[in-house]
């Protein structure tokens, strides 16, 4: 019996391997819009797809980021300035994309732009702190998607959105985790709606990677600022040791972060170029072996594991 089960499992993975190796045709004629290309995953993906021959439309927040990217890529790659929190900026970028793609439509949209701070224990934050992150990671992502969706439908293309393992398991305070839960929900509903139109929607769920949004210095400065602004009674309930332990964990963050960003961009590229893309891609061994398995455990068991490394309050 076990032999038959092993054989069936082997056949399943062999079939999946074969299907996932099939790529779409005429990649050199396909346009892909990527947000957040100044640095990190977006920058690397833009250069990676440019090498593959795709027509990359790289959206950067700053002119400096756009200029540096143009210098590092071929003449096929075009850049546009885009602030995903600005409706006017999104409208202008969408109009520009229309002029670039013409009647071909937009084959791919990669929602990559994102921020992680302000991040701190929830009680240390304000509504504005949450809104700042949600505006970029979720509301901006939704508005960009809705704005270019007709162009993606025209090409019967792909939408690849940056989620996170923190969209499955919320382990720290601030707007980042809620925003990624929202990305999961939005992408899932959109995926179902777009299936009859031939549009495929994918989510990338990375673990910890060394990028600008995991910069320990910036995160520590943000946490320290929030701590200093707390009322004395709130500080007393947590205690100085809680704060110092939290800061130490922040500076220890790079030890658990992978520097191999291509593990993520390879997933993005597969979502755009594979004939049969996955709905979800997990990137990084911490995602595959720790966070995603934890997300399936009973809550009490997952809490026990996660609280093991949490600082202890004074009261």
């Amino acid at each position: 019996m076990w032999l038959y089960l092993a054989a069936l499992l082997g056949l399943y993975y062999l079939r999946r391997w074969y299907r996932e190796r099939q790529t779409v045709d005429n990649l050199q004629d396909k346009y892909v819009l990527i947000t957040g290309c100044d640095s990190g995953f977006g920058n690397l993906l833009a250069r990676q797809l440019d090498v593959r021959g795709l027509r990359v439309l790289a959206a950067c927040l700053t002119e400096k980021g756009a200029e540096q990217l143009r210098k590092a890529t071929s003449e096929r790659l075009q850049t546009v300035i885009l602030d995903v929190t600005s409706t006017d900026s999104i409208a202008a970028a969408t109009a520009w994309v229309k002029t670039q793609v013409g009647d071909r439509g937009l084959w791919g949209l990669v929602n990559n732009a994102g921020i992680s701070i302000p991040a701190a224990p929830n009680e240390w934050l304000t509504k504005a702190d949450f809104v700042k992150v949600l505006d970029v990671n979720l509301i901006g992502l939704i508005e960009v998607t809705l704005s270019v969706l007709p162009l993606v439908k025209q090409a019967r293309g792909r939408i690849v959105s940056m989620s996170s393992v923190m969209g499955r398991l919320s382990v720290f305070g601030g707007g980042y985790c809620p925003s990624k839960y929202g990305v999961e929900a939005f992408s899932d509903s959109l995926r179902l709606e777009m299936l009859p139109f031939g549009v495929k929607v994918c989510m990338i769920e990375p673990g910890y990677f060394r990028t600008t949004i995991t910069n320990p210095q910036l995160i520590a400065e943000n946490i320290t600022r929030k701590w200093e602004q707390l009322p004395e009674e709130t500080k007393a309930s947590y205690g100085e040791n809680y704060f110092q332990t939290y800061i130490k964990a922040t500076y220890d963050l790079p030890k658990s972060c992978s520097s191999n960003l291509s593990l993520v961009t390879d997933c993005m590229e597969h979502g755009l170029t594979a004939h049969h893309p996955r709905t979800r891609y997990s990137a990084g061994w911490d995602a595959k072996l720790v966070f995603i398995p934890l997300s399936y455990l009973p809550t009490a068991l997952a809490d026990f594991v996660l609280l093991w490394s949490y600082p202890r309050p004074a009261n």
Side-chain angles (χ1 to χ4, degrees):
M1 176 183 174
W2 293 110
L3 183 61
Y4 288 120
L5 289 175
L8 286 173
L9 190 63
L11 287 173
Y12 166 77
Y13 279 106
L14 182 62
R15 178 179 179 272
R16 192 174 82 161
W17 174 82
Y18 173 73
R19 281 168 56 87
E20 291 191 347
R21 283 177 60 86
Q22 300 177 43
T23 59
V24 296
D25 298 326
N26 302 318
L27 289 177
Q28 68 279 4
D29 296 326
K30 300 190 183 302
Y31 287 85
V32 176
L33 173 65
I34 310 168
T35 66
C37 290
D38 296 77
S39 61
F41 299 127
N43 186 278
L44 178 57
L45 179 66
R47 291 185 279 116
Q48 195 168 313
L49 295 183
D50 182 55
V51 171
R52 283 289 301 267
L54 281 86
R55 298 183 177 272
V56 178
L57 307 176
C60 299
L61 181 60
T62 66
E63 183 56 48
K64 179 181 178 181
E67 183 180 355
Q68 289 175 344
L69 182 57
R70 287 194 298 269
K71 289 179 179 178
T73 53
S74 75
E75 293 181 354
R76 284 189 307 274
L77 184 141
Q78 302 294 319
T79 61
V80 63
I81 302 302
L82 173 62
D83 177 358
V84 299
T85 66
S86 167
T87 297
D88 290 342
S89 180
I90 292 172
T94 301
W96 176 82
V97 170
K98 285 181 181 178
T99 64
Q100 296 295 316
V101 303
D103 295 334
R104 295 177 181 176
L106 181 64
W107 171 254
L109 166 64
V110 181
N111 287 308
N112 168 73
I115 60 174
S116 63
I117 54 177
N122 288 309
E123 191 179 5
W124 302 8
L125 301 171
T126 65
K127 174 185 173 181
D129 293 327
F130 284 87
V131 169
K132 182 178 180 179
V133 179
L134 288 166
D135 271 350
V136 177
N137 294 4
L138 180 58
I139 305 303
L141 178 149
I142 292 172
E143 189 171 5
V144 170
T145 301
L146 297 180
S147 187
V148 302
L149 188 57
L151 298 175
V152 180
K153 287 169 62 182
Q154 183 181 349
R156 299 174 69 85
R158 308 287 172 79
I159 298 172
V160 178
S161 293
M162 177 65 79
S163 182
S164 168
V165 289
M166 300 305 149
R168 288 173 172 257
L169 198 68
S170 190
V171 300
F172 56 84
Y176 185 81
C177 296
S179 72
K180 295 307 180 181
Y181 271 81
V183 170
E184 296 271 336
F186 173 70
S187 297
D188 255 346
S189 63
L190 187 67
R191 178 181 58 81
L192 286 171
E193 292 168 355
M194 289 296 105
L195 280 175
F197 294 94
V199 173
K200 297 178 181 179
V201 179
C202 309
M203 284 169 277
I204 313 297
E205 298 176 334
Y208 284 112
F209 283 84
R210 202 168 300 163
T211 67
T212 52
I213 70 170
T214 56
N215 185 315
Q217 183 67 37
L218 294 177
I219 297 173
E221 289 174 358
N222 164 76
I223 294 170
T224 302
R225 187 163 54 251
K226 292 302 175 184
W227 170 259
E228 292 172 348
Q229 294 170 352
L230 290 175
E232 290 303 320
E233 58 188 273
T234 306
K235 284 185 181 179
S237 70
Y238 284 89
E240 182 68 22
N241 184 64
Y242 188 103
F243 167 66
Q244 294 297 339
T245 304
Y246 210 96
I247 290 293
K248 183 180 183 302
T250 298
Y251 279 109
D252 286 342
L253 182 63
K255 298 176 183 177
S256 61
C257 290
S258 171
S259 59
N260 187 5
L261 303 190
S262 64
L263 293 176
V264 177
T265 57
D266 285 349
C267 293
M268 293 172 163
E269 181 180 338
H270 189 271
L272 292 166
T273 62
H275 192 69
H276 301 284
R278 301 181 188 179
T279 300
R280 285 177 170 82
Y281 292 86
S282 59
W285 288 113
D286 56 342
K288 297 175 187 294
L289 300 180
V290 180
F291 292 111
I292 290 178
L294 270 179
S295 71
Y296 287 107
L297 289 179
T299 302
L301 196 53
D303 287 351
F304 175 80
V305 174
L306 293 171
L307 285 172
W308 188 266
S309 59
Y310 256 58
R312 297 293 184 264
N315 299 327

